[in-house]
Amino acid sequence: MLGGVIAFLVCVWFYLTADKLKLNPLPWIAGALIVYYGTKAAWTFLFLKPLMSVNFTHGSMIGGLLLEIIGAALGVLACGLFRDRVLMKQKQ
């Protein structure tokens, strides 16, 4: 749930940036979603799955929420880097 809300906010961020630069927002939003969910998937399968063992459970609800927030934060960070290093170069 939290990841979906944050993904929506990232899409709004990318839409507003593309609109401000007078570019087509659809590729920007698609790129943002691919980067965001790709980063979250990498976080889940490369870090969390080995950490949580075979049954993929965590010790507490707070621990699970913290791990979800870290994954979302990494996704937003990756989107910010993608925006600055790749998409903003289109306008220059």
Side-chain angles (χ1 to χ4, degrees), residues 3-61:
V5 171
I6 293 174
F8 175 76
L9 293 174
V10 166
C11 288
V12 169
W13 175 34
F14 274 63
Y15 174 82
L16 293 174
T17 301
D19 189 47
K20 179 179 155 186
L21 297 174
K22 307 286 190 243
L23 296 171
N24 183 9
L26 188 59
W28 282 60
I29 292 170
L33 288 175
I34 290 168
V35 169
Y36 178 78
Y37 282 116
T39 303
K40 281 191 58 110
W43 166 254
T44 300
F45 292 109
L46 297 177
F47 182 76
L48 290 184
K49 193 170 182 180
L51 179 71
M52 292 182 178
S53 74
V54 178
N55 59 1
F56 207 58
T57 59
H58 45 80
S60 69
M61 186 174 112

